[in-house]
Amino acid sequence: MNFDLPEDLNTYLQSLYSFINSKILTVQVTGDNNRFFDHRREHARTNWDQNGNPRSEWEELLKKARALADEAGFYRFALPREYGGTGHPETNLWMSAIRFHLASHPVYGGGLGLANDLQNEHSIIGNFPDILMIHHFGSEEQRQTLIHARLRGEFRTTFGLTEPDHGNDATFISTVARRDRAGFEINGAKKWQTGAHHCTHFLVFARTSGTAGSAKGITAFLIPRETPGVQIKSYEWTLNMPTDHATVEFRRVWVPESAILGPLDQGLALAPAFVHENRIRQAASSCGAAKFCLDRSIERARSRKIWGEGKILADNQAIQFPVVELMTQVEMLRLLILKTSWEMDPVVASCQSATIQQPPWIVIERELSDKVAMCNFWDNRLCFQAADRAMQIHGGDGYSRHYPFEHIYRNFRRYRMTEGAEEIQMHKAAAFIFGFTGPKRQLEEKSKGKL
């Protein structure tokens, strides 16, 4: 049993660091670009007079960084080969390790830097849940046109599942789509539509048949932004600004049948196609950001002199013990994340080689979703706690925006809700632990002759 990262992965990380240091950091410090990352960051990023949306200069800088990464061959790492990716056989392991290292790095760590700024999911190693959905569920025409347009920056979509009155209860959505003139008329509203300020399409889930509470009868539609009847009602200002999270209303919006993404009445099948990969990568980022906060806190405690020249802050057990507890969790969770990611990869490989006659996300849901849930809910909570502890150890400096901890505190707080609320994640893990579903349940049913 070997807990070290593969040598070729370590080599890849070193090449990635070299690229960041030579290209990305150079851009970050050019002119006054650092205003987006120092104490001025929230004001520099936010257009307060335009609904609190991201400033165009900020987004152009991120676009430039992604273009440089794409040119250098890093940006599309996780994509299939047909879209310029590597098709790497250990994509999940590598992506988790990369995300952890980028978020924990002492220079550009914590999700606050041009290489890897997690406030808006920006990274020079791209994460493409929308591409994966279209790749797995789109028609041939959708795959050939939309995926390549997405990579050129010409196609951008939101993800429209949450509604003003419905969050995690997706089967009770109120948005409806009724057949009309060889297409569908859609009526309803969606909330927290991230990226609405610059999207070209809204991916909207609507009930096309069946009854409330049933997973069957919900269909996904790709609705062009300029379609008559589509209206952005508001942008929700949040704890961490800028905001691109809109409430969007759909009134008598007509779309042709070609707007359907995936199977009719089975639209909820789209989400699991990326949810496990997304959650394990988010967990890796949170774990890395937590380590960043703690490493900086240790440095501070060792250098901060108190009560005369002979004593430092780190001498106090009141400083030591909370850091020890949090760092212990970082180490344990880092290993669980890497182990779970490592276990996901052969499932994907087996399904791709037709050894298993099911989509990989179905197998991962059945066998590993409890571990993914454990990693995700606890790491997001851990990062929040580590940022809070870093602020406490740094005192007034930690509370100021001249240090990154308050930004990390505000940003990572949202992940306790947005990747599936932590209560939902705990419920999923509990279902495995208590045998309501998962391998334990399968063994019980097999022993009773039901399988």
Side-chain angles (χ1 to χ4, degrees):
M1 186 176 293
N2 187 346
F3 295 100
D4 295 330
L5 294 180
E7 188 58 39
D8 53 347
L9 174 50
N10 282 319
T11 301
Y12 187 85
L13 287 169
Q14 292 306 312
S15 65
L16 183 62
Y17 290 158
S18 296
F19 165 72
I20 293 172
N21 291 328
S22 64
K23 297 291 186 180
I24 302 300
L25 288 182
T26 300
V27 173
Q28 182 171 322
V29 299
T30 297
D32 195 27
N33 284 343
N34 218 43
R35 72 189 186 276
F36 297 114
F37 306 100
D38 62 19
H39 64 281
R40 303 167 290 172
R41 54 188 170 262
E42 189 169 42
H43 177 71
R45 297 177 180 195
T46 307
N47 192 332
W48 303 100
D49 296 323
Q50 291 293 325
N51 302 307
N53 287 171
R55 292 187 190 272
S56 58
E57 303 94 325
W58 164 232
E59 295 196 312
E60 283 300 313
L61 185 63
L62 299 179
K63 182 179 178 181
K64 183 174 184 178
R66 290 192 294 267
L68 287 171
D70 202 11
E71 182 181 346
F74 291 109
Y75 184 54
R76 306 188 193 191
F77 169 82
L79 286 177
R81 293 184 187 277
E82 55 262 47
Y83 309 123
T86 63
H88 198 284
E90 294 181 311
T91 296
N92 288 297
L93 173 62
W94 280 50
M95 282 293 287
S96 291
I98 290 167
R99 287 300 175 93
F100 174 85
H101 279 264
L102 287 177
S104 62
H105 194 280
V107 176
Y108 34 84
L112 185 59
L114 186 54
N116 192 63
D117 199 290
L118 298 174
Q119 183 181 15
N120 56 0
E121 305 293 344
H122 162 79
S123 180
I124 59 170
I125 303 289
N127 198 31
F128 304 95
D130 50 349
I131 288 181
L132 290 178
M133 282 191 294
I134 297 171
H135 172 65
H136 290 300
F137 293 98
S139 65
E140 183 61 27
E141 181 180 358
Q142 287 172 332
R143 288 196 296 271
Q144 293 301 320
T145 58
L146 297 181
I147 291 178
H148 295 289
R150 161 71 165 84
L151 292 169
R152 293 192 302 269
E154 299 168 2
F155 168 79
R156 298 176 298 276
T157 184
T158 66
F159 185 80
L161 193 57
T162 302
E163 297 183 346
D165 295 322
H166 299 284
N168 288 307
D169 54 345
T171 60
F172 287 89
I173 59 175
S174 300
T175 301
V176 295
R178 305 191 186 283
R179 286 197 174 274
D180 179 62
R181 292 176 290 131
F184 290 85
E185 181 184 285
I186 300 173
N187 289 276
K190 298 295 179 179
K191 194 171 184 178
W192 303 113
Q193 294 303 280
T194 302
H197 71 298
H198 69 176
C199 72
T200 62
H201 290 71
F202 295 96
L203 175 58
V204 174
F205 292 82
R207 183 162 290 284
T208 44
S209 67
T211 58
S214 172
K216 186 177 181 180
I218 295 175
T219 302
F221 296 88
L222 280 170
I223 304 176
R225 180 191 180 99
E226 303 304 323
T227 303
V230 175
Q231 183 180 7
I232 295 179
K233 301 294 291 184
S234 63
Y235 284 93
E236 315 310 323
W237 287 38
T238 58
L239 184 64
N240 214 20
M241 294 291 280
T243 178
D244 59 352
H245 315 295
T247 295
V248 186
E249 188 174 80
F250 303 90
R251 286 190 178 182
R252 302 191 67 181
V253 173
W254 183 87
V255 293
E257 287 205 29
S258 60
I260 293 175
L261 179 62
L264 180 69
D265 292 336
Q266 300 291 341
L268 288 183
L270 271 67
F274 72 91
V275 69
H276 300 103
E277 293 178 340
N278 217 42
R279 286 176 177 171
I280 200 68
R281 294 169 191 177
Q282 174 53 51
S285 293
S286 294
C287 192
K291 187 175 186 301
F292 170 82
C293 291
L294 296 172
D295 285 342
R296 295 288 296 273
S297 298
I298 293 166
E299 292 175 9
R300 174 76 168 198
R302 286 175 58 85
S303 62
R304 184 74 167 179
K305 292 183 174 63
I306 58 172
W307 300 321
E309 292 297 319
K311 193 171 180 63
I312 59 174
L313 195 61
D315 289 332
N316 294 288
Q317 291 179 343
I319 298 296
Q320 298 170 6
F321 287 5
V323 171
V324 168
E325 288 184 357
L326 291 169
M327 193 62 89
T328 300
Q329 294 179 49
V330 166
E331 287 302 307
M332 291 189 296
L333 282 165
R334 180 182 68 87
L335 290 173
L336 182 59
I337 290 167
L338 294 176
K339 175 179 179 291
T340 303
S341 303
W342 175 72
E343 290 177 329
M344 290 168 66
D345 285 323
V347 173
V348 175
S350 296
C351 293
Q352 288 175 341
S353 65
T355 302
I356 301 175
Q357 299 297 322
Q358 281 184 317
W361 54 88
I362 299 296
V363 183
I364 292 172
E365 170 70 24
R366 186 176 65 236
E367 298 180 359
L368 293 169
S369 61
D370 61 325
K371 299 298 189 300
V372 174
M374 289 176 185
C375 291
N376 189 261
F377 96 82
W378 194 257
D379 261 313
N380 292 331
R381 187 187 296 183
L382 171 63
C383 184
F384 180 69
Q385 293 172 346
D388 181 75
R389 179 53 49 183
M391 284 193 286
Q392 192 73 14
I393 290 174
H394 282 76
D397 288 340
Y399 186 67
S400 78
R401 299 195 177 191
H402 293 268
Y403 284 75
F405 310 118
E406 60 80 33
H407 176 90
I408 297 169
Y409 179 94
R410 288 185 289 122
N411 182 53
F412 281 87
R413 179 60 181 87
R414 68 186 170 116
Y415 289 118
R416 295 175 64 185
M417 299 174 288
T418 58
E419 284 300 315
E422 62 182 37
E423 292 83 359
I424 298 295
Q425 306 269 35
M426 294 169 73
H427 179 71
K428 180 180 287 290
F432 273 65
I433 291 170
F434 288 93
F436 301 134
T437 189
K440 186 180 292 186
R441 178 67 172 180
Q442 294 172 41
L443 285 174
E444 289 179 358
E445 293 185 345
K446 186 175 182 179
S447 66
K448 295 176 183 178
K450 294 183 179 181
L451 289 179

